[in-house]
Amino acid sequence: MEVESLGVVVLAYGGGRQHEGLLEGLLAEGVSPAALLVVHNPAAPGESAPPLPAGVELLETGRNLGYAGGMNRGIAHMRERGADPVLLLTHDARLRPGALAALLEAARRRPEYGVLAPALVFTGSDEPFSYGGVTRGTGTNKHVGERPAADGVFACDWVDGGTMLIRKATLERAGGFDERFWGYCEEADLCLRVRRSGAAVGVVLDAVAEQAPGGAKRPGPWAYLLIRNQTEYARRAVGLRGVAVVTARTIWLVAFQLARALARGVGLRPGGAAEPWAVAVGTARGTLDWFRSRWGPPPADLPGMGDVGNA
């Protein structure tokens, strides 16, 4: 599989220039500017798109569609171009030298894999972040944090959405991201459908990328979306047993975070009470909204909205 057939979608949020290092690295690895598409989710109405290198195409969404909606727009554009495979990247991802070549070589050699991803380390370090993810029998998810004993490609249940290489045929069989999720767990849901369609999901161990989790920037929406979407994912993965497990965990989580907020508020523990309060409220409302079938972006009145806007 050659780099010439590759299409790359970079999802950029806001008016910053976080994507610049990512684009520079891709161009240095031999990706043509014409193969690059930046999808801009604006953080505020009328926000200007970030500057791009010459020849790189821009797709404006007009408002913050979240990860799922933004990536789906980019995927549709690349499918019209006939790109195969499509590499999906968020603006904070950084592929280390040789990672792209390793991904494409694994895709060429291992056609049974419909989705491939690099191993992830925390930005600016060699500390492992994710070697893919597994879904427990309860329907809950966890990252694999230690390098697996695998030869070349580690087969897993799902990979992080910040760096995903997907074949065109896989997208045709499994479809794109479920936009009701908006953000969080949508990549696990897509990978579930990929595996049920007969293709495998895996991590190329010799490909490495850097990634920075963003939950701390938006504690309320993070907790809300994670719990609401995890509940739905657990239902799809294992049925009502998964819903029961996630709901029970939610009750415990809300109580724990309220206790943290109280302890901080009265000075028994260091730190401010705003963060655990935001997590408690987001978690509780996420569960309630799953039962009410409320989908899409997080409610705008959640505490701890952080960098989430224009949704």
Side-chain angles (χ1 to χ4, degrees):
M1 192 166 290
E2 301 295 333
V3 71
E4 286 79 10
S5 65
L6 176 71
V8 182
V9 177
V10 174
L11 184 62
Y13 174 66
R17 306 169 79 105
Q18 298 96 324
H19 61 285
E20 288 185 343
L22 174 59
L23 296 179
E24 289 171 3
L26 291 167
L27 294 171
E29 293 288 312
V31 178
S32 166
L36 295 170
L37 172 69
V38 173
V39 178
H40 178 226
N41 268 344
E47 179 184 72
S48 298
L52 301 177
V56 176
E57 188 174 0
L58 173 70
L59 193 159
E60 287 275 22
T61 62
R63 63 183 176 89
N64 184 5
L65 302 179
Y67 176 95
M71 283 300 190
N72 276 349
R73 301 304 184 275
I75 288 170
H77 199 77
M78 284 299 175
R79 290 178 69 176
E80 290 177 0
R81 288 189 188 181
D84 186 23
V86 178
L87 178 62
L88 307 179
L89 301 166
T90 52
H91 66 213
D92 60 332
R94 297 292 183 270
L95 294 175
R96 290 192 171 174
L100 179 58
L103 283 171
L104 293 174
E105 176 61 15
R108 185 188 66 80
R109 293 177 49 248
R110 304 294 297 271
E112 70 272 23
Y113 282 93
V115 173
L116 288 167
L120 296 178
V121 297
F122 287 98
T123 299
S125 77
D126 289 319
E127 180 184 354
F129 168 31
S130 180
Y131 290 99
V134 295
T135 299
R136 304 178 183 94
T138 57
T140 57
N141 290 327
K142 70 171 184 176
H143 287 280
V144 177
E146 296 184 1
R147 184 182 175 94
D151 183 18
V153 180
F154 169 62
C156 55
D157 293 332
W158 51 271
V159 296
D160 190 273
T163 50
M164 297 178 72
L165 184 74
I166 309 181
R167 298 179 189 274
K168 181 180 177 182
T170 300
L171 289 166
E172 291 172 349
R173 290 195 302 269
F177 295 103
D178 187 336
E179 295 186 21
R180 294 181 301 169
F181 281 30
W182 199 79
Y184 296 109
C185 295
E186 67 277 85
E187 74 271 68
D189 174 68
L190 174 57
C191 288
L192 177 65
R193 283 180 276 123
V194 167
R195 291 187 291 111
R196 286 177 172 174
S197 75
V201 175
V203 168
V204 181
L205 298 177
D206 289 337
V208 179
E210 298 184 7
Q211 188 78 26
K217 301 176 184 177
R218 56 195 81 96
W222 169 79
Y224 173 88
L225 292 167
L226 199 63
I227 287 296
R228 185 195 68 184
N229 297 347
Q230 175 67 80
T231 305
E232 177 61 14
Y233 175 82
R235 184 193 69 80
R236 296 179 184 187
V238 301
L240 292 180
R241 176 182 53 170
V243 174
V245 169
V246 176
T247 302
R249 285 184 61 192
T250 297
I251 295 170
W252 179 88
L253 259 174
V254 170
F256 175 72
Q257 294 296 340
L258 287 175
R260 287 183 67 217
L262 178 62
R264 290 184 177 189
V266 300
L268 294 176
R269 291 286 186 272
E275 181 266 337
W277 172 252
V279 173
V281 173
T283 300
R285 290 186 64 177
T287 294
L288 290 174
D289 279 357
W290 181 83
F291 282 101
R292 297 193 306 164
S293 297
R294 181 200 180 279
W295 302 105
D301 61 346
L302 283 175
M305 288 296 286
D307 63 349
V308 176
N310 197 33

